Amino acid sequence: MPRVRAFVEGSGLELMWVRLLRLDPGAFLWEHTDYGAHNLSRVPRLRLHVPLKTNPDAVIVLPSRSVHMKSGFL
């Protein structure tokens, strides 16, 4: 995935890890709190989500609202 690699390497960010996830149509992730989030609170960190391909029904659930993320949205 050369374009994804170029994006990640060209971000200028100090990255802890990168994960790619592919879900089949109709699949979902269970609502969760990120593992270890309480241990990482001492160090400023951001978690970025960048949908490469999505559909209008796909949302990310935040504490205050649900948000549809369009392809390429950060």
Side-chain angles (χ1 to χ4, degrees):
M1 301 182 75
R3 290 176 65 189
V4 173
R5 183 182 189 114
F7 171 78
V8 169
E9 290 177 350
S11 70
L13 300 172
E14 182 178 335
L15 302 172
M16 185 172 174
W17 61 74
V18 173
R19 180 174 75 169
L20 296 175
L21 179 65
R22 178 179 182 258
L23 296 175
D24 291 326
F28 61 93
L29 295 176
W30 293 99
E31 190 171 334
H32 65 278
T33 300
D34 291 340
Y35 172 77
H38 61 281
N39 293 328
L40 298 176
S41 63
R42 295 173 297 212
V43 179
R45 299 203 187 272
L46 298 174
R47 178 145 190 193
L48 307 176
H49 295 78
V50 183
L52 302 178
K53 185 176 180 181
T54 186
N55 70 65
D57 295 326
V59 295
I60 185 167
V61 179
L62 305 171
S64 60
R65 64 181 179 218
S66 295
V67 178
H68 168 67
M69 295 180 65
K70 296 178 184 178
S71 294
F73 184 83
L74 177 64

